[in-house]
Amino acid sequence: MAKIGILGGSFNPIHAGHMRMAVEARETVGLERVLLMPAGEPPHKPAQGMLPFAHRLRLVELAVRGVTGLSASGFEGTRSGPSYSVDTLLALREKMPGDELHFIMGSESFLALPKWNRGLELPHLCSIAVVLRPGADSASIAAFAETTWPGMERAGHGRMRFASGTSLFTVDMPVLEVSSTDIRRRWCERRCLAMLVPSAAEEILERGGSAYEQAWGQRVES
Ligand code: ATP
């Protein structure tokens, strides 16, 4: 049984924070592979300003090239309607019955799970790896989990167990203050994106094109 990580996001576009998050989760949890999975229709983001799925996936595919243990997955592009994580995980469990799935999320997303569509059901479907973002630590994540899911047990070394038998991990990560919102703004201003986005994706972003301008707005003249 392989331990597989699933990192979902709008990836509009993918950036260094997403990449580092995948690497840290893989090492801390001991995952064989992390699948970076752009959402088909991100349910928590406005459709306006969203680069079409195929472009977001292409950037992720370029980004993971040559990075040990990371892969791109177009799985959510095959399904229509909003990409709710609960549906994705149910479908993945059917597709990968022999694997132990770990859903990777930033701490701010984890704390918002009660507001997600059937978000509280996620621990019934998979383990969860919470990557600590500024303002969160393992103690605050543990306290939140204990009040939100009754019957949790502490298993030591930043690990807890849900009553359903799956695990909750906390993952430390160096703070990288980068966001897709900031990348899109810099892109429109024709600023250099080096070190903020994976270098293979940088080239294609620099080239741009009409799909990018339609989604992110017009770039300043070069
Ligand atoms: P936007 O700026 O468009 O809202 P974003 O940069 O927050 O996007 P998402 O694709 O929405 O990126 O994020 C997917 C996942 O990546 C979330 O779980 C989020 O917590 C995490 N994440 C985003 N940016 C960072 C970062 N700089 N460091 C660590 N994790 C991050």
Side-chain angles (χ1 to χ4, degrees), residues 30-150:
L31 302 168
E32 192 165 301
R33 183 149 293 282
V34 174
L35 308 180
L36 286 88
M37 197 173 281
E41 287 179 34
H44 308 289
K45 301 273 168 88
Q48 205 190 356
M50 192 60 62
L51 194 61
F53 175 79
H55 289 269
R56 287 181 287 121
L57 176 61
R58 180 78 189 123
L59 292 169
V60 174
E61 284 169 348
L62 290 169
V64 297
R65 251 188 219 170
V67 185
T68 307
L70 304 195
S71 303
S73 167
F75 185 67
E76 292 212 328
T78 58
R79 299 160 56 234
S80 57
S83 308
Y84 293 120
S85 300
V86 66
D87 297 328
T88 305
L89 284 158
L90 278 166
L92 282 174
R93 272 164 53 108
E94 274 192 24
K95 189 172 176 253
M96 306 161 71
D99 293 323
E100 197 185 321
L101 302 181
H102 294 69
F103 193 57
I104 303 167
M105 37 194 336
S107 47
E108 84 291 356
S109 303
F110 179 68
L111 296 172
L113 267 186
K115 292 191 214 116
W116 284 24
N117 179 38
R118 298 164 63 199
L120 296 181
E121 292 175 31
L122 289 193
H124 294 285
L125 304 176
C126 61
S127 290
I128 300 183
V130 178
V131 178
L132 298 173
R133 308 277 314 267
D137 58 20
S138 9
S140 63
I141 293 300
F144 169 79
E146 280 170 337
T147 53
T148 309
W149 291 277

Side-chain angles (χ1 to χ4, degrees), residues 7-13 15-18 21 45 50 104-109 131-133 173-182 184:
L7 173 53
S10 42
F11 299 129
N12 183 37
H15 56 63
H18 298 134
M21 181 184 185
K45 301 273 168 88
M50 192 60 62
I104 303 167
M105 37 194 336
S107 47
E108 84 291 356
S109 303
V131 178
L132 298 173
R133 308 277 314 267
M173 153 156 184
V175 176
L176 292 172
E177 279 297 347
V178 48
S179 68
S180 298
T181 305
D182 180 52
R184 296 192 294 273

